[in-house]
Each structure stands twice: as C-alpha cells, then as structure tokens.
Amino acid sequence: MYAIELPSDVAATIPVERRGHGRLRIEAVGIDGRTLRTHIEEAGFARARFPLSGRRRRALEAVLLNTGGGLTGGDSSQAIIRAASSAQLVVTTQAAEKVHRSDGSPTRVDVDLAAASGAAIDWMPQPTILFDGARLRRSIIADVAADARLLLVEPVILGRTARGERFTRGELLDSWRIRRAGQLIYADGMVLEGDIAATLDRRACAGGWAAFATLLLIAPDAESRLEAVRAALDLPDGLPDHLDAGASAWNGMVSIRLLARDGAPLDAAIRRVIPALGITEVPRIWHS
C-alpha cells in the first residue's frame, strides 16, 4: 500500500443522465443516554433506515441502502456521517455493495466521517464486491476529537468468487486519511491496476487470494485491546490455511489486516475480531 494520485478519466460510453448519484447525510447527537438522529438528507439512490432491532443501549444503528442495485461506471456515492457530542452511531449496509464492470468511467465512493468529543462512530459496511472489469475510486476521510472513538471495518472481495470469477482487469484506487484533533494520524492508500491477475498472484501481494479487509480502531484506550484481537485470531501461529492476518497498535490505534482465500473465511475472521475489541457488536442485519 502506498500514497496515490488518481489518474485522469477514460472516455465512457454511458450517457451522463443514465449514471446514478447517491448522497446521504446523517447527523446524530447523544441526549440523556440515548442517541437521536437530528438531520437526515437522502438524494439519488441513497437511503438510510434505523431499525428498532439495531438499538443497543446508547447506540443508534443506521442501515444504508442502495436502491439502484449496485454501482457501475460513472456512478458516484457519498456518505457524510456526523456524530455530535456523546452520540454513538453504528453505520452498516443492508447488503454487500456490488461494483459492476465499467464501460470506462470510474465509480466513485466517498465517505466523510466526523465524531465530536465523547462521540463514537462504528463504520461497518458489508463487503464491497468488485466484478471483473470494475473501476472503483474510493476515498475515506475522518476527523475525530481527541476523546472520541472511530471504528472502521472495510472488507473487499475481488471478483464474484462463488462463480469462479477473478478480478483480472479494471482498477481499485483507495485512499484513507484520518485526523484526530485536527492532526493527520493515519494515511493509507492502494493502487491496483494494469496486470491485476499477475499482481494478485504474487506471494508478497495476495498469493492469488481474493478477499481482504482493514479494521482500524481509533480510541484513547485502543492499544489495550490488541492482545484480545490477537487471541481471537489465534495469532501468530494458529491461523487456518485459508487466512492470513496481522494486528498492530500504536499512538491510540489498533490496525488489523486480513487476507483470505474468499469471502467466507474473511467474514468469519471479522466476526471474531469485532466482539474481541470489546466496544461494539456485529450489526444485527449481518445475521439476516
């Protein structure tokens, strides 16, 4: 992984008016031990629902929906999440987000998170699945207060592995920037393009496996949770043959990297790590 600059767009054949654009803004605040939504904006295919079954103690669970049935070249999706003082907001998705083969234009996904003093955001979407030929450019930015908490769980599956598809062409450009109290504390990026099959087959890259995830916890006590995460994954020597993983902690952060043969072992590992962190639970909709 390394810092990136996004290349220029490629000419596309789908008319602009046929492309989908979704924008969602959710604001919430903590009052009297509860988290209440204070502002909701929905545009295009983006929707949010707040099921009663997702309420757990102070936390409010938002389930994001894409009414368009997936993303394709030229589509864009933007999610803006704001947790005001003392709010605890869990954000997930109704299902995996499918990124279809592109005609040339990239698909854009932008996530913008902010947690104020004493607030918490658990950003836990279900996997993003890139079909062969998809072109995805994703940006995740977050700004958290010094005493706020942010959990990011982002699984990605390259190709429709259940039908034997591999992700051999297209692109994945991913950029993460996290600020705490205004200071940049985490910057990460990925560029996957060109001869993607050869890149993924390299042992030092993915060894031919198709599923990976990054879990990142930022909290004042984050580092104290590292050993529980390692125990949940049976690190360093107990990993199953179809899973690789690493976990580290520094400067009020815990970072967990997962690489798996396909989505099933990746999902199982994520479901072990989330409760081991001791701060939240797997969203209820993941069980449906």
Side-chain angles (χ1 to χ4, degrees):
M1 292 193 173
Y2 44 91
I4 60 172
E5 288 188 5
L6 301 182
S8 59
D9 291 348
V10 177
T13 58
I14 297 177
V16 173
E17 62 271 18
R18 294 185 184 177
R19 294 172 181 158
H21 303 284
R23 183 178 186 275
L24 183 66
R25 184 183 181 96
I26 300 174
E27 298 180 8
V29 64
I31 298 176
D32 296 332
R34 300 175 58 198
T35 297
L36 305 175
R37 56 187 195 242
T38 56
H39 184 81
I40 307 293
E41 290 181 23
E42 298 174 325
F45 55 71
R47 297 288 185 273
R49 297 295 180 264
F50 301 85
L52 293 177
S53 60
R55 285 193 170 273
R56 299 171 186 176
R57 298 183 289 276
R58 291 173 52 190
L60 175 67
E61 183 173 299
V63 179
L64 310 189
L65 292 79
N66 178 351
T67 61
L71 301 169
T72 190
D75 290 353
S76 65
S77 173
Q78 182 183 32
I80 303 170
I81 310 296
R82 298 287 182 265
S85 178
S86 301
Q88 292 190 3
L89 195 53
V90 177
V91 185
T92 185
T93 55
Q94 181 189 35
E97 183 67 280
K98 301 181 289 293
V99 184
H100 297 270
R101 179 176 59 85
S102 170
D103 70 321
S105 294
T107 300
R108 286 212 59 98
V109 172
D110 296 298
V111 178
D112 181 352
L113 311 171
S117 177
I121 296 176
D122 299 329
W123 174 262
M124 298 190 286
Q126 298 195 59
T128 299
I129 301 175
L130 273 69
F131 291 16
D132 191 26
R135 300 184 63 210
L136 174 62
R137 299 178 181 182
R138 185 174 68 175
S139 168
I140 299 175
I141 61 172
D143 196 345
V144 301
D147 62 346
R149 188 190 82 210
L150 174 66
L151 173 63
L152 300 172
V153 179
E154 278 287 359
V156 175
I157 300 174
L158 301 173
R160 290 167 287 181
T161 55
R163 57 189 299 178
E165 181 185 74
R166 295 192 69 196
F167 187 64
T168 61
R169 57 193 174 89
E171 68 176 29
L172 171 59
L173 309 181
D174 201 13
S175 173
W176 294 34
R177 298 289 184 273
I178 313 296
R179 287 179 167 77
R180 182 172 56 204
Q183 299 294 317
L184 182 66
I185 60 168
Y186 186 90
D188 197 3
M190 170 184 287
V191 176
L192 189 57
E193 59 185 0
D195 190 348
I196 293 174
T199 299
L200 294 176
D201 284 342
R202 290 166 48 195
R203 183 178 295 275
C205 184
W209 288 356
F212 64 91
T214 298
L215 293 81
L216 179 67
L217 172 65
I218 297 171
D221 61 350
E223 292 165 81
S224 68
R225 304 179 188 277
L226 177 62
E227 291 310 315
V229 170
R230 286 178 167 166
L233 291 170
D234 290 329
L235 287 172
D237 301 320
L239 288 171
D241 292 338
H242 47 257
L243 178 71
D244 199 358
S248 56
W250 76 101
N251 189 27
M253 293 182 282
V254 173
S255 174
I256 303 110
R257 306 276 197 185
L258 302 173
L259 175 65
R261 179 191 57 206
D262 53 41
L266 184 76
D267 179 73
I270 291 172
R271 290 173 187 264
R272 294 199 301 273
V273 169
I274 289 175
L277 288 168
I279 56 171
T280 189
E281 302 172 37
V282 173
R284 290 188 188 276
I285 199 165
W286 286 23
H287 302 296
S288 61

